[in-house]
């Protein structure tokens, strides 16, 4: 009888996911709240057929070459810029991600961040908590309306469309978007969504939400030049990936009030956060939690586990990533 396939779960995860995997494969866990650096991950992966990862484990060409037994890299994240998919597929390793299951949860959070930036919710809360509230005033923390404003979306995939739905149907917003490809007319029509070039998006958006995946092509897609095109009353929200926005340029634009406010869930070099961002008041900062509800994180992890089980038992993956 063939031995059971062996899976390394590279990070702590819900016990029911470990249990599910144990029913089908031999499991090694990482029980510590630490992310293994690449060399340690390589050492721990020896003799394993599959690995369970999320958005940060560096599955690069060096790791892939050093782990010849590896057959499956299954991530509980939807974004997979931490995985060299071409290097994996060149060695016959299947890569999977976790699309769809987090779409609405992430869209809820993106919308919440946009609202918080526009209505200065965390900025005013810090003010209150610091004991500085002495009187009400007519211009006290005046922000920008969200309802009936122009929602600009950069990257109109599943999450972008879900944010557009919330804006158009719930908040009567006018939706413009920029994406490599235009949506089909039957997807645009119910949202009243209009494709525009990037410059028009930046110039016209009252609230810009970034949902484009990170790649070399999207690195610093929003930098000083792009921020300079935006309205001084506009807000910017990023729930995509650190590196799509130039954090230093954003901090400067906020400091100089080139735009009114921002909200970031993702950062260049996270969990480090650029000191200049921490120093500006007109920003909402959260630690990469857009998909963080118990129900959704459980579904994401379950999908990664089911992908591992399928691939290592010779079945087709449920949600493969193509090179
Ligand atoms: C989280 O950032 C994800 O890609 O799922």
């Amino acid at each position: 009888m063939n031995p059971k396939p062996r899976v390394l779960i590279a990070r702590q995860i819900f016990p029911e996911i470990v249990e599910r995997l144990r029913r089908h494969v031999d499991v090694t866990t990482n029980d510590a709240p630490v992310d293994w650096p690449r060399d340690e991950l390589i050492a721990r992966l020896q003799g394993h057929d599959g690995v369970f990862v999320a958005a940060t484990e560096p599955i690069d060409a060096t790791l892939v070459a050093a782990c010849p037994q590896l057959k499956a890299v299954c991530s509980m994240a939807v974004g997979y810029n931490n995985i060299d998919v071409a290097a994996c597929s060149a060695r016959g390793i299947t890569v999977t991600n976790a699309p769809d299951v987090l779409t609405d949860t992430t869209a809820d959070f993106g919308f919440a961040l946009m609202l918080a930036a526009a209505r200065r919710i965390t900025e005013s809360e810090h003010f209150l908590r610091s004991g500085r509230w002495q009187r009400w005033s007519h211009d006290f923390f005046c922000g920008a309306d969200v309802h009936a404003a122009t929602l600009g979306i950069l990257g109109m995939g599943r999450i972008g469309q879900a944010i557009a739905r919330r804006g158009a149907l719930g908040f009567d917003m006018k939706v413009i978007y920029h994406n490599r490809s235009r949506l089909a007319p039957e997807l645009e029509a119910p949202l009243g969504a209009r494709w525009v070039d990037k410059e028009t998006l930046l110039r016209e958006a009252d609230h810009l939400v970034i949902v484009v995946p990170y790649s070399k092509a999207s690195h610093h897609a929003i930098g000083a030049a792009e921020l300079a095109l935006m309205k001084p009353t506009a807000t910017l929200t990023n729930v995509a990936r650190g590196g799509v926005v130039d954090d230093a340029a954003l901090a400067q634009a906020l400091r100089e009030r080139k735009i009114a406010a921002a909200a970031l869930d993702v950062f260049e070099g996270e969990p480090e956060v650029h000191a200049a961002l921490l120093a500006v008041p007109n920003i909402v900062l959260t630690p990469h939690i857009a998909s963080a509800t118990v129900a959704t994180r459980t579904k994401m992890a379950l999908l990664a586990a089911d992908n591992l089980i399928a691939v290592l038992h010779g079945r087709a993956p449920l949600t493969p990533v193509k090179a």
Side-chain angles (χ1 to χ4, degrees):
M1 199 175 85
N2 285 338
K4 269 189 183 175
R6 294 185 64 201
V7 164
L8 177 71
I9 305 179
R11 53 177 45 254
Q12 289 176 312
I13 195 61
F14 304 108
E16 64 264 38
I17 304 300
V18 180
E19 284 319 305
R20 181 174 182 84
L21 277 164
R22 279 198 207 286
R23 286 198 288 276
H24 302 270
V25 292
D26 278 342
V27 173
T28 311
T29 54
N30 173 0
D31 295 322
V34 292
D35 294 343
W36 289 322
R38 190 190 60 197
D39 288 351
E40 182 160 6
L41 189 53
I42 289 176
R44 303 233 181 213
L45 263 171
Q46 297 310 307
H48 289 85
D49 306 286
V51 62
F52 179 115
V53 297
T56 55
E57 287 80 5
I59 309 294
D60 58 14
T62 307
L63 179 143
V64 165
C67 301
Q69 193 168 341
L70 202 56
K71 296 179 191 66
V73 173
C74 298
S75 176
M76 65 174 281
V78 66
Y80 48 86
N81 53 299
N82 56 319
I83 303 172
D84 186 335
V85 181
C88 286
S89 55
R91 288 182 174 262
I93 299 170
T94 302
V95 177
T96 67
N97 69 338
D100 300 321
V101 287
L102 49 45
T103 299
D104 282 312
T105 299
T106 304
D108 286 350
F109 196 80
F111 215 85
L113 283 185
M114 177 181 73
L115 283 165
R119 297 303 309 275
R120 305 177 66 179
I121 289 175
T122 58
E123 186 184 354
S124 58
E125 182 178 352
H126 287 142
F127 174 86
L128 179 154
R129 284 180 186 274
S130 68
R132 284 177 287 157
W133 184 20
Q134 287 175 348
R135 58 184 286 274
W136 185 91
S137 153
H138 69 287
D139 60 354
F140 204 32
F141 286 104
C142 284
D145 275 325
V146 169
H147 70 272
T150 297
L151 170 60
I153 300 185
L154 182 61
M156 197 59 152
R158 289 170 288 243
I159 297 171
Q161 290 172 53
I163 291 173
R165 265 198 302 283
R166 284 154 177 75
L169 309 180
F171 284 73
D172 195 23
M173 297 180 87
K174 179 174 141 193
V175 177
I176 54 176
Y177 71 96
H178 181 70
N179 200 42
R180 269 180 317 187
S181 46
R182 278 189 66 153
L183 291 182
E186 60 273 22
L187 291 176
E188 279 187 350
L191 306 174
R194 184 166 60 92
W195 185 94
V196 292
D197 59 37
K198 189 172 161 193
E199 183 173 333
T200 305
L201 182 83
L202 295 165
R203 287 190 191 282
E204 292 189 5
D206 293 313
H207 303 293
L208 176 68
V209 182
I210 297 163
V211 220
V212 71
Y214 180 81
S215 66
K216 279 201 190 101
S218 66
H219 180 75
H220 285 189
I222 303 293
E226 289 75 20
L227 290 161
L229 296 174
M230 293 177 68
K231 298 178 185 180
T233 49
T235 72
L236 174 154
T237 296
N238 184 8
V239 284
R241 272 292 179 274
V244 175
V245 174
D246 177 342
D247 285 350
L250 176 63
Q252 185 169 353
L254 290 167
R255 205 167 44 240
E256 294 172 358
R257 305 278 163 174
K258 296 254 167 59
I259 66 169
L264 302 181
D265 186 48
V266 286
F267 304 87
E268 295 189 271
E270 63 186 58
E272 300 295 319
V273 176
H274 198 297
L277 288 175
L278 296 172
V280 287
N282 43 343
I283 190 163
V284 182
L285 303 167
T286 52
H288 203 146
I289 57 169
S291 64
T293 65
V294 175
T296 291
R297 285 282 167 85
T298 304
K299 284 186 211 159
M300 293 161 70
L302 194 58
L303 185 51
D306 285 347
N307 271 310
L308 276 164
I309 294 165
V311 175
L312 297 181
H313 286 282
R315 297 192 298 277
L318 307 167
T319 49
V321 172
K322 305 225 170 35

